[in-house]
Amino acid sequence: MSDEPLILGIETSCDETGVGIVRGHTLLADALASSVEQHARFGGVVPEVASRAHLEAIVPTMDRALKEAGVTLADIDAIAVTSGPGLAGALLVGVAAAKGYALAAEKPVYGVNHLAAHVAVDTLEHGPLPEPAIALLVSGGHSSLLLVDDLARGVTPLGATIDDAAGEAFDKVARLLGLPFPGGPYIDREARAGDPSAIGFPRGLTAPKDLAAHRYDFSFSGLKTAVARWVEARQRAGEPVPVADVAASFQEAVCDVLVRKALDACRSTGVETLVIGGGVAANSRLRAMAEDRAAAHGIRVRVPRPGLCTDNGAMVAALGSHLVASGVAPSRLDLPADSAMPLTTVSV
Ligand code: KG4
Ligand code: ZN
């Protein structure tokens, strides 16, 4: 058996209770309990409901992960936990659990950044990340472009959304098309039967005048409004809404902007690796478009498989493993749950 450290990761920042176990870059267990169905009827995650669900799920999910990996808590070398950003009450459950297990089993604990974990998870599938790399981080709460010089110690933000996150735009547009929450996967599915060029929706912050101040920033709020106006006009005229065409055209607009800006960042910094992470990285069109367009520029795209793009415990374990391998010191046992943890802080 490898002598690489065995790392357990705990994730509770939103609506997924995740516990993952890795050895080096090898994934041994990825146990997940989701409260998504309890939120669906509200059209968004209800923080109090999520916290309660984490509380109920954390111990069984932990037990399931240990069983799946065929190890005991005593075998674990370090525990990593999402310290932020995320929902305060939800984060607290994971952080408190990590502290309890760490104290009971006398293990070091690492409080880590959820967003850096979305980048680190790719190492479980594609091995060590070449540095520097450009990371496109697209989730329900964040959309950012980062220069990753040293994932263990810090990342440099290049740009971010100035309004809605990419996943948030998917969720809002899905809602106005009458699709369930969370909308991303439903839009992805509908779009397969639609024509991406049916409707020319706007590409936010891509006009020359916007590029001067916002070259690497994103804006999806105008796009969302454009889709709403288009759908309303159809409804007012008493005509049916072609859901598949709207979904495909909207998805095309989002992906076009994300890929264009990410490849621009790669070219202007001379970086040859683009890693895409976060829930929206599960989108089939985004994955295909990024790979097609990057190939023409000699840029290598790394995207983990869809199941690792959305929130899970394995991503936290992967980042913990990278921190341990890089010689980063563990966190103090009084580490915080920090709902507004900045992107530049990889671990606390
Ligand atoms: O990373 P994640 O699981 O949670 C956050 O950290 O926010 O991302 C969730 C987001 C949701 O907005 C969801 O609609 C979106 O990721 N998403 C997708 C797809 N799968 C999940 N968006 C587009 N296409 C998908 N296939
Ligand atoms: Zn996430």
Side-chain angles (χ1 to χ4, degrees):
M1 192 194 278
S2 144
D3 56 5
E4 287 175 294
L6 189 61
I7 311 296
L8 182 141
I10 299 176
E11 155 63 32
T12 64
S13 70
C14 192
D15 58 346
E16 316 281 350
T17 313
V19 179
I21 299 176
V22 306
R23 189 185 289 285
H25 297 305
T26 307
L27 179 60
L28 302 180
D30 187 15
L32 203 64
S34 180
S35 62
V36 68
E37 280 166 17
Q38 297 180 53
H39 308 290
R41 71 191 167 97
F42 300 105
V45 176
V46 184
E48 292 304 319
V49 173
S51 307
R52 167 59 64 105
H54 285 307
L55 210 48
E56 286 167 0
I58 188 75
V59 172
T61 308
M62 182 81 176
D63 292 346
R64 217 150 33 86
L66 290 167
K67 196 165 164 221
E68 200 179 308
V71 300
T72 66
L73 190 57
D75 299 325
I76 300 290
D77 292 300
I79 296 174
V81 61
T82 299
S83 186
L87 303 170
L91 288 167
L92 262 178
V93 177
V95 168
K99 288 177 182 178
Y101 284 114
L103 196 62
E106 297 184 27
K107 306 293 180 188
V109 62
Y110 288 81
V112 306
N113 189 308
H114 178 84
L115 303 169
H118 269 306
V119 177
V121 70
D122 184 66
T123 60
L124 299 180
E125 235 170 33
H126 299 116
L129 184 68
E131 289 169 334
I134 294 290
L136 171 66
L137 200 74
V138 276
S139 71
H142 290 84
S143 301
S144 306
L145 267 173
L146 317 170
L147 176 64
V148 183
D149 277 323
D150 181 353
L151 184 57
R153 293 178 180 84
V155 295
T156 311
L158 299 176
T161 179
I162 60 166
D163 42 56
D164 294 349
E168 198 179 346
F170 270 95
D171 296 340
K172 288 177 176 169
V173 165
R175 192 172 184 172
L176 67 91
L177 290 176
L179 300 170
F181 172 84
Y186 295 94
I187 298 237
D188 197 342
R189 208 169 305 155
E190 285 290 335
R192 277 173 212 169
D195 173 6
S197 58
I199 310 151
F201 286 128
R203 271 63 170 162
L205 299 183
T206 56
K209 67 174 173 31
D210 295 324
L211 286 177
H214 293 291
R215 183 168 176 184
Y216 301 127
D217 291 327
F218 303 106
S219 167
F220 298 111
S221 155
L223 169 61
K224 173 195 67 191
T225 308
V227 177
R229 295 289 163 273
W230 195 93
V231 169
E232 281 160 18
R234 267 309 191 69
Q235 288 166 334
R236 251 199 323 271
E239 291 168 25
V241 176
V243 172
D245 282 349
V246 176
S249 301
F250 158 77
Q251 178 174 273
E252 195 71 7
V254 174
C255 297
D256 181 24
V257 176
L258 292 174
V259 172
R260 238 198 270 183
K261 296 208 175 203
L263 293 181
D264 181 28
C266 291
R267 283 197 305 272
S268 70
T269 52
V271 171
E272 289 171 356
T273 306
L274 170 65
V275 55
I276 311 182
V280 180
N283 185 266
S284 61
R285 182 62 185 135
L286 179 61
R287 301 166 75 94
M289 188 192 279
E291 267 157 31
D292 279 0
R293 292 194 194 170
H297 298 283
I299 293 162
R300 184 160 175 245
V301 178
R302 297 177 37 138
V303 202
R305 64 174 180 267
L308 291 178
C309 292
T310 43
D311 291 349
N312 62 75
M315 64 192 235
V316 180
L319 180 55
S321 179
H322 184 63
L323 294 174
V324 171
S326 308
V328 172
S331 307
R332 290 164 37 141
L333 204 51
D334 64 353
L335 75 116
D338 180 359
S339 61
M341 190 170 182
L343 193 50
T344 45
T345 305
V346 175
S347 64
V348 292

